[in-house]
Amino acid sequence: MDPSTLAGSPDGLRQLADLTTVALEALAGEASRREGPLPAGGPAAMRTAADETPETFIPEHGSDPADVVRGLTALAARWGVDLANPAAVGRMQCAPTAVAVAAELGAAALNQGLQAWESGPFAALLERRLLADLAALAGFPPTAAGSMTSGGTASNLMALLLARDDAVRRRAGVDVSRAGLSSLAAAPRVLCAAGTHVSVRRAAGFIGLGSDAIVEVEADRLGRMLPQAAEAALARMQSDELPVALVATAGTTDLGAFDALPALAAVAARHGVWLHVDAAYGAGALFSERLAHLVEGLDRADSIALDLHKFGWTPASSGVFLTRRPEAMSVLAQGAAYLSTPEDEALGFSSLAGSSLQTTRRADALKVAATLLALGRAGMQELVERCTDLALHAARAIDANPRLELATEPILTTVVFRCRPSRPAAPLEEWDRLNAGVRRALMQEGRALVARAVVPDRAGRAADHLKLVLLNPATTASQLEGVIDAIVATASEIDPVESDG
Ligand SMILES: *Cc1c(COP(=O)(O)O)cnc(C)c1O
């Protein structure tokens, strides 16, 4: 096989079909030998993995493409995490559907771009159409704008950027992107809760507001921002402070908690502050009639972050940023003649370059559109609800096990709990040590992949917990019980109870 054949040519398409078969056979071969979601042996096993890789990835002379694809794909599968394994319940990282991956292959072969009209005329049309449908699903008007992004982190950054420019323009008549923040006399403020995703705090730093601009609004035990506390924080703002945004969360990363969006939208509207809703995880609720009440009020946000690579069964990157305020997108305009010119734009050769932080940008909409077309809204609802049912099932099994303590009822598809030490009156450090130890032991053996969450215990102290993230709708109740049994068995090995023998 000629390694320089280009995928899109007739010869290339034949070679691609052959190489795809080679890759898929390698994946199937490795999958049949898997024993758990992670390779056994932990970090030490990665040294063995390193020994299996070629000495250099830049050899003087290349080798047969089929051998390369077979060898490297097999290594990646053998030493990677198997997201389709029912015991892979640790990361907010879904196993993608076959239809999504097939569409992604097509997109990669076409390698369309969104940076100029001629980089991908249909890719731009597809993204616009998909965003319009997602905006409508979120309850936004047809005038809404947005962009596909690399994920919630980038969407949250875009939100704060747009909110910053909007707030400063209205307050001081200054175009921050041009003049910078130094001309701003007031101290910018971003209101969020302690459990707001870390990317919001980082974004405040990146865009020059400083992470000190974050004002932490009081939240309840589940981490839901108290609307009256947000109201009070805004009412307390001094004349030398500038509230830039109120950031709410629809589906927190640990407990899956949803802020009271209607109440927060009313607070934001009263104070003329940009409301951004981080629904990176909670977006799944948009597809489910049963969960729709959780995202009530989302339509009143100024902007929303959604991730379909978390709760949408598409490969990363499938981030979505939406705003009800299309005029605010102008901060992203890119005035580069090589991308587009006003004359071209006026004649319809318009590009999406001015709607993204990126220049070169992949056609991420294809796999998302294919997944949604293949499943439909009803199919998405079924998958989402199967995952929430699994979470409820896990909670019952945890409740019934004397060795385990459930932190709180699951809201979405995360289940947060911890193992109880053998000594009933053990101090908090002993609980934390046991739970951290259980998680590491499971990863080390590769038997199960569970996450860590620091949430308040029943006494309100920040405590180490274990977290199951259930995003695999094919998992059965008994497989899930098997994972919980493995957790309990590991706890008993580390910290045996006398009567355990
Ligand atoms: C995962 C997550 C993010 C970050 O999204 P990425 O796609 O990883 O960039 C932001 N917010 C919430 C609530 C998340 O769960």
Side-chain angles (χ1 to χ4, degrees):
M1 269 189 212
D2 178 356
S4 60
T5 312
L6 304 180
S9 67
D11 279 350
L13 288 172
R14 275 188 293 276
Q15 194 184 102
L16 178 58
D18 291 346
L19 290 175
T20 303
T21 303
V22 167
L24 295 181
E25 281 170 1
L27 293 179
E30 292 302 321
S32 68
R33 281 191 284 277
R34 291 274 328 196
E35 284 170 8
L38 282 171
M46 287 302 113
R47 287 195 282 279
T48 315
D51 291 341
E52 290 184 16
T53 59
E55 215 149 285
T56 171
F57 290 110
I58 315 175
E60 181 58 22
H61 300 287
S63 44
D64 181 59
D67 291 342
V68 170
V69 168
R70 185 183 300 109
L72 212 48
T73 308
L75 281 177
R78 190 178 313 150
W79 297 107
V81 53
D82 177 8
L83 296 170
N85 188 295
V89 287
R91 308 302 328 169
M92 206 162 274
Q93 185 182 358
C94 60
T97 59
V99 62
V101 176
E104 182 79 314
L105 176 67
L110 288 166
N111 195 29
Q112 303 293 288
L114 294 159
Q115 59 272 29
W117 182 84
E118 65 275 26
S119 297
F122 182 78
L125 178 153
L126 188 68
E127 177 163 313
R128 284 196 178 98
R129 286 281 316 275
L130 175 67
L131 290 175
D133 286 348
L134 289 169
L137 187 71
F140 272 6
T143 46
S147 174
M148 299 270 322
T149 68
S150 62
T153 302
S155 299
N156 287 340
L157 177 66
M158 284 177 77
L160 286 199
L161 183 66
L162 268 59
R164 180 198 72 174
D165 277 39
D166 180 68
V168 177
R169 189 181 303 108
R170 283 189 296 127
R171 163 84 167 246
V174 170
D175 174 359
V176 182
S177 290
R178 198 174 39 78
L181 276 167
S182 56
S183 59
L184 184 67
R189 299 285 181 240
V190 174
L191 283 76
C192 16
T196 302
H197 194 265
V198 59
S199 58
V200 172
R201 194 175 291 269
R202 290 173 76 222
F206 295 163
I207 65 170
L209 305 178
S211 48
D212 285 350
I214 300 281
V215 174
E216 220 169 86
V217 178
E218 197 190 335
D220 67 9
R221 208 181 78 82
L222 296 179
R224 293 174 301 198
M225 191 186 277
L226 299 175
Q228 64 273 30
E231 171 70 45
L234 283 166
R236 266 199 311 274
M237 290 281 157
Q238 303 292 311
S239 58
D240 61 350
E241 292 179 295
L242 174 60
V244 166
L246 173 61
V247 180
T249 306
T252 54
T253 313
D254 284 340
L255 297 178
F258 286 73
D259 282 334
L261 300 179
L264 291 174
V267 170
R270 224 171 3 256
H271 293 272
V273 174
W274 186 287
L275 175 65
H276 173 61
V277 180
D278 179 356
Y281 169 39
L286 286 171
F287 297 98
S288 155
E289 285 159 15
R290 197 166 85 195
L291 303 174
H293 67 99
L294 294 169
V295 279
E296 199 194 313
L298 185 64
D299 58 331
R300 292 165 68 187
D302 291 289
S303 58
I304 311 175
L306 319 168
D307 272 357
L308 287 142
H309 53 242
K310 286 185 173 162
F311 216 154
W313 300 285
T314 56
S317 298
S318 304
V320 175
F321 172 76
L322 295 170
T323 176
R324 200 156 46 80
R325 312 263 298 272
E327 72 285 356
M329 295 283 282
S330 63
V331 52
L332 298 163
Q334 297 193 17
Y338 89 99
L339 297 173
S340 76
T341 64
E343 302 82 62
D344 283 348
E345 291 280 335
L347 291 169
F349 295 97
S350 63
S351 88
L352 298 184
S355 66
S356 173
L357 297 170
Q358 294 169 244
T359 305
T360 297
R361 190 152 69 84
R362 320 173 65 236
D364 283 323
L366 191 68
K367 58 182 175 255
V368 176
T371 304
L372 295 175
L373 276 173
L375 283 164
R377 207 272 321 150
M380 286 291 286
Q381 163 167 285
E382 198 182 322
L383 298 193
V384 166
E385 291 181 359
R386 239 187 267 167
C387 292
T388 51
D389 285 344
L390 281 171
L392 294 173
H393 184 81
R396 294 294 68 79
I398 288 164
D399 256 347
N401 194 310
R403 193 75 214 246
L404 303 174
E405 178 190 276
L406 187 66
T408 181
E409 275 303 303
I411 300 168
L412 221 43
T413 67
T414 57
V415 188
V416 179
F417 63 103
R418 56 182 180 162
C419 301
R420 294 177 198 274
S422 56
R423 289 201 301 141
L428 181 61
E429 306 76 68
E430 213 165 297
W431 288 70
D432 282 359
R433 204 163 38 239
L434 171 63
N435 285 280
V438 166
R439 185 177 116 75
R440 267 193 303 272
L442 290 167
M443 274 200 296
Q444 179 75 25
E445 294 162 16
R447 268 203 288 170
L449 172 58
V450 300
R452 173 174 186 257
V454 176
V455 302
D457 65 7
R458 288 176 184 182
R461 300 169 301 183
D464 248 292
H465 284 73
L466 300 174
K467 175 171 76 166
L468 309 181
V469 185
L470 301 163
L471 289 176
N472 180 350
T475 304
T476 64
S478 68
Q479 285 170 329
L480 190 54
E481 287 158 21
V483 174
I484 294 168
D485 289 346
I487 293 169
V488 171
T490 305
S492 297
E493 279 161 31
I494 295 177
D495 176 20
V497 178
E498 297 292 310
S499 59
D500 280 2

